[in-house]
């Protein structure tokens, strides 16, 4: 079964600190994504990647960086975490024209 | 870019009744449409993927209707049961693939016994 694994599942970070969220997929998919979910909102696309060593900006990239060192791994980096980045983050993977598979999410609280 | 409006944000129905959730979108070139279900604390589970060429799609216990003229997508749950209690999200894609989905804000559905 297709699998997208996120770590950590929850994290508390200090304002101004660096946060790295990791994602690993065993689906052999080319596409990977990072979405953010806020209460009362749908998912919004932060960064995505079509191939290893390349990332693209999504709809809300400000304050985030992404890294795709291999086909299986995709990280989201918050260099200077802010209170407004408190949210649930979902990683996902897919191929063109296939279902998007989501991870279980990472709940990030910035204090 | 694409914008998706989903209604209602909250919906409570009795067990056995029907429930309807609707999304409207703005990009007439949108091609793929998706409904996701999210249970508390869980990830998103794909309910149905709809192509722009098909107006009616039926799943187990629900029907998805696509009205391209009005740019409206609806999820109709028939005979709701407690297991249907969850958040539901529509998503729209205009690239012809599964990437770059634009999501609605979600509907929190509660099924009352």
């Amino acid at each position: 079964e297709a699998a997208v694994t996120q770590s950590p599942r929850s994290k508390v970070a200090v304002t101004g600190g660096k946060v790295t969220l990791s994602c690993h997929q065993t689906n052999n998919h080319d596409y990977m994504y990072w979405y953010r979910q806020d209460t009362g909102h749908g998912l919004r696309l932060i960064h995505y990647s079509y191939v290893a060593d390349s990332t693209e900006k999504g709809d809300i990239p400000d304050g985030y960086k992404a890294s795709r060192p291999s086909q299986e791994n995709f990280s989201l980096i918050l260099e200077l975490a802010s209170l407004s980045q408190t949210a649930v983050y979902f990683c996902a993977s897919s191929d063109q024209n296939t279902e998007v598979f989501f991870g279980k999410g990472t709940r990030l609280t910035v204090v | 870019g694409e914008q998706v409006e989903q209604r209602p944000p909250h919906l409570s129905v009795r067990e056995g009744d029907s429930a309807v959730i609707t999304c409207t979108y703005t990009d007439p070139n949108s091609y793929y449409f998706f409904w996701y279900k999210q249970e508390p604390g869980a990830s998103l589970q794909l309910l149905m993927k709809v192509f722009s060429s098909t107006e009616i799609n039926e799943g187990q216990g629900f029907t998805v209707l696509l009205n391209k003229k009005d740019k409206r997508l609806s999820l109709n749950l028939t005979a709701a049961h407690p297991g249907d209690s969850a958040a539901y999200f529509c998503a729209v894609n205009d690239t012809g693939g599964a990437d770059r989905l634009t999501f609605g804000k979600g509907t929190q559905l509660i099924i009352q016994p």
Side-chain angles (χ1 to χ4, degrees):
Chain A
E1 185 175 307
V4 179
T5 303
Q6 294 182 229
S7 62
R9 293 294 316 279
S10 68
K11 183 175 181 64
V12 178
V14 178
T15 302
K18 181 177 181 178
V19 177
T20 299
L21 306 183
S22 300
C23 180
H24 178 81
Q25 57 109 348
T26 59
N27 305 325
N28 200 33
H29 287 160
D30 287 328
Y31 301 172
M32 294 189 75
Y33 319 85
W34 276 105
Y35 284 91
R36 163 181 177 152
Q37 184 179 37
D38 297 278
T39 303
H41 289 81
L43 276 68
R44 292 180 289 172
L45 183 63
I46 306 170
H47 284 288
Y48 62 103
S49 169
Y50 290 136
V51 67
D53 296 321
S54 177
T55 63
E56 308 289 338
K57 292 181 179 180
D59 298 321
I60 52 165
D62 293 345
Y64 302 93
K65 292 183 179 179
S67 173
R68 181 92 182 270
S70 63
Q71 186 194 40
E72 298 82 14
N73 296 293
F74 192 35
S75 297
L76 184 69
I77 303 146
L78 290 67
E79 295 280 2
L80 295 170
S82 66
L83 296 175
S84 64
Q85 293 177 312
T86 292
V88 179
Y89 292 85
F90 286 95
C91 176
S93 76
S94 78
D95 270 336
Q96 184 80 358
N97 297 321
T98 66
E99 174 183 348
V100 178
F101 291 91
F102 287 87
K104 293 185 177 181
T106 296
R107 182 173 296 277
L108 175 64
T109 303
V110 182
V111 298
Chain B
E2 176 72 272
Q3 295 183 43
V4 178
E5 183 171 342
Q6 184 172 342
R7 289 278 188 269
H10 301 278
L11 181 60
S12 179
V13 303
R14 292 193 180 278
E15 185 174 356
D17 287 350
S18 62
V20 179
I21 303 170
T22 300
C23 289
T24 56
Y25 57 96
T26 56
D27 189 344
N29 296 316
S30 290
Y31 191 78
Y32 282 107
F33 305 87
F34 304 81
W35 280 103
Y36 285 90
K37 176 182 180 181
Q38 184 183 31
E39 296 180 351
S43 188
L44 282 77
Q45 171 193 355
L46 180 68
L47 283 180
M48 181 164 283
K49 175 181 177 180
V50 178
F51 300 98
S52 64
S53 60
T54 306
E55 295 186 340
I56 300 176
N57 294 265
E58 294 186 333
Q60 194 164 5
F62 60 90
T63 301
V64 172
L65 302 177
L66 175 62
N67 183 324
K68 290 181 289 182
K69 175 177 176 291
D70 294 339
K71 295 194 287 293
R72 181 181 297 119
L73 178 74
S74 67
L75 173 67
N76 302 277
L77 278 74
T78 55
H81 58 84
D84 291 330
S85 292
Y88 291 82
F89 295 91
C90 64
V92 178
N93 171 273
D94 64 356
T95 68
D99 58 320
R100 304 226 51 182
L101 299 176
T102 300
F103 283 82
K105 291 186 177 182
T107 296
Q108 189 65 48
L109 175 64
I110 296 174
I111 309 303
Q112 297 177 341

